[in-house]
Amino acid sequence: MESMFRLMDKEQKVTTTNRCIWVNGPVIVGAGPSGLATAACLREQSVPFVVLERADCIASLWQNRTYDRLKLHLPKKFCQLPKMPFPESFPEYPTKRQFIDYLESYASRFEINPKFNECVQTARFDETSGLWRVKTVCNAESTRSEVEYICRWLVVATGENAERVVPEIDGLNEFTGEVIHACDYKSGEKFAGKKVLVVGCGNSGMEVSLDLANHFAKPSMVVRSSVHVMPREVMGKSTFEIAMKMLAWLPLWLVDKILLVLCWLVLGNIEKYGLKRPEMGPMELKSVKGKTPVLDIGALEKIRSGKIDVVPGIKRFDGNRVELVNGEQLEVDSVVLATGYRSNVPYWLQESEFFAKNGFPKAANSGWKGRTGLYAVGFTKRGLSGVSMDAVKIAQDIGSVWKLETKQPTKLTRAGHRRCISQQL
């Protein structure tokens, strides 16, 4: 018995190490596409950097929190990161695995080596020193490592989709079936023959419903508000690409009118299936509210054929039943919450001038640069093309100061940092 207690004590003992590290360049928080793009552009500017990532891999959202059938919804030329296009052998809409392979090749090419399993606890600007202080925690087996990074520039690259959104629905906690978020959904295979309620009708909700129908499940998709559904392609051309070309020459309102006519010609009247369109046009809605139109890749045909049922909002759950706002009741076996994601910036960044309480920059048009060396990438709601634009501007802005102050010739350098000897956490 005594030896058993000694063993338990040994197993529970955790060693804590504290360090302070000066970063000779910016600290980038997040190793998704936003962080990788910024790091690559900084590498081209010969600016050293450190990338911090809370997961154990790059692009953890893509690797760990996406379903198997996922493909890029836009053509690859609109999704490539700066300085490196997709391989020509990749299809027009790369798969999830192909995109991950691309990102891993991207990190390798630009010698981006993130510090994995480092979760940022706080980041604040020290007015006295004029520097950022970024505190992280890394738990590895019996060792807890606490590190404070000191830097002049801080790049927030955690993106729009850092944390899942789980809505509060009356009775959901008492639902007797399985409840998962879309980030935990992989395939509809295990749901074959089951009645599945999909809460949400964005791109994820539509595609999860389609996947469930393809695996012989019986999905019901909750459509609580209006939604723009558009064909992914019109006569073999990307709808998004058509819109971008028109916006270069025509006013926004006219582009929306043309797009809605094309949608009517290709998809027909979708309102009779319970999919009411917003009063605001698809591109205006994206510009003003950041709400992305749904690009149909087959779900609408399943809705027409009755293999996907469209239902209104939820009033409450009761056991294995759900009552809808129209009084109808459904028996369901499982629930998939395709209710989106949110920024986690307010939980760790101690700053309120540049970022709003919702975790997004307050000024959408100039949302890549704040004061005191603070930058944001991937928050402009313009997808991966917006990420690339932000990354280039941030690297150029930091690079111009770096080169002026160091007066160094342009050359590739490795990320550098040194330990702060004067301070211990």
Side-chain angles (χ1 to χ4, degrees), residues 133-416:
R133 309 177 76 95
V134 184
K135 292 184 178 182
T136 70
V137 169
C138 177
N139 292 305
E141 296 181 355
S142 60
T143 302
R144 174 185 171 90
S145 175
E146 298 179 358
V147 181
E148 182 175 53
Y149 294 90
I150 312 295
C151 58
R152 180 174 175 183
W153 299 286
L154 176 64
V155 181
V156 179
T158 48
E160 306 169 7
N161 303 316
E163 302 290 343
R164 71 187 74 184
V165 172
V166 178
E168 293 185 5
I169 305 174
D170 187 20
L172 180 60
N173 292 335
E174 287 76 43
F175 176 67
T176 56
E178 180 183 18
V179 180
I180 63 171
H181 192 273
C183 66
D184 296 317
Y185 178 93
K186 298 303 177 185
S187 168
E189 186 175 1
K190 74 172 187 176
F191 296 99
K194 294 184 177 181
K195 299 175 182 178
V196 184
L197 186 70
V198 179
V199 183
C201 61
N203 279 297
S204 293
M206 284 280 191
E207 196 157 354
V208 166
S209 297
L210 173 61
D211 189 58
L212 287 165
N214 286 340
H215 284 91
F216 307 105
K218 301 172 184 177
S220 296
M221 183 176 64
V222 176
V223 180
R224 188 168 53 90
S225 57
S226 56
V227 58
H228 275 301
V229 180
M230 304 171 65
R232 185 170 69 173
E233 293 184 342
V234 176
M235 299 180 66
K237 295 289 184 181
S238 162
T239 306
F240 179 79
E241 184 173 3
I242 293 171
M244 291 300 100
K245 288 182 177 180
M246 288 195 296
L247 284 171
W249 301 96
L250 302 174
L252 180 63
W253 67 268
L254 183 55
V255 172
D256 272 341
K257 292 283 187 183
I258 296 172
L259 287 175
L260 290 175
V261 170
L262 291 175
C263 289
W264 183 277
L265 292 174
V266 176
L267 303 178
N269 179 16
I270 65 173
E271 293 200 8
K272 63 182 180 181
Y273 302 110
L275 302 171
K276 183 179 179 181
R277 290 194 181 276
E279 294 184 4
M280 194 177 292
M283 301 309 290
E284 184 182 4
L285 191 65
K286 174 67 173 173
S287 176
V288 174
K289 298 186 177 180
K291 191 173 182 180
T292 303
V294 172
L295 296 177
D296 178 56
I297 57 173
L300 197 55
E301 182 57 38
K302 297 290 185 182
I303 292 172
R304 289 195 187 100
S305 66
K307 293 181 179 179
I308 297 176
D309 190 23
V310 174
V311 300
I314 299 169
K315 185 175 182 180
R316 68 170 66 89
F317 282 89
D318 183 12
N320 68 335
R321 302 178 68 87
V322 58
E323 181 181 349
L324 306 175
V325 292
N326 63 356
E328 183 182 357
Q329 292 195 1
L330 302 175
E331 285 190 8
V332 293
D333 301 305
S334 303
V335 176
V336 179
L337 300 173
T339 45
Y341 301 86
R342 62 169 172 248
S343 165
N344 69 358
V345 173
Y347 296 105
W348 56 270
L349 182 62
Q350 298 177 357
E351 188 274 346
S352 58
E353 181 179 324
F354 181 52
F355 277 91
K357 291 181 179 179
N358 65 356
F360 283 79
K362 294 179 179 179
N365 295 331
S366 57
W368 63 276
K369 182 181 180 179
R371 293 178 59 249
T372 63
L374 179 62
Y375 297 88
V377 56
F379 290 90
T380 55
K381 298 184 179 180
R382 297 177 182 174
L384 290 167
S385 59
V387 164
S388 294
M389 289 188 287
D390 289 346
V392 170
K393 289 185 287 190
I394 290 170
Q396 289 176 344
D397 198 58
I398 295 175
S400 62
V401 176
W402 176 267
K403 290 175 182 177
L404 180 64
E405 294 186 354
T406 59
K407 297 181 180 179
Q408 64 176 8
T410 302
K411 63 179 181 179
L412 293 180
T413 61
R414 294 186 178 274

Side-chain angles (χ1 to χ4, degrees), residues 37-89:
T38 306
C41 292
L42 286 167
R43 179 74 73 205
E44 290 289 292
Q45 293 285 333
S46 299
V47 179
F49 54 83
V50 167
V51 181
L52 304 177
E53 169 57 47
R54 65 178 177 176
D56 60 358
C57 61
I58 65 168
S60 62
L61 174 64
W62 280 86
Q63 300 217 45
N64 302 328
R65 294 187 285 162
T66 50
Y67 37 91
D68 296 339
R69 63 161 287 128
L70 179 63
K71 294 183 179 180
L72 294 179
H73 291 133
L74 302 181
K76 60 184 179 181
K77 69 179 179 180
F78 294 107
C79 301
Q80 65 191 25
L81 300 184
K83 318 293 182 182
M84 181 175 151
F86 282 96
E88 291 185 5
S89 61

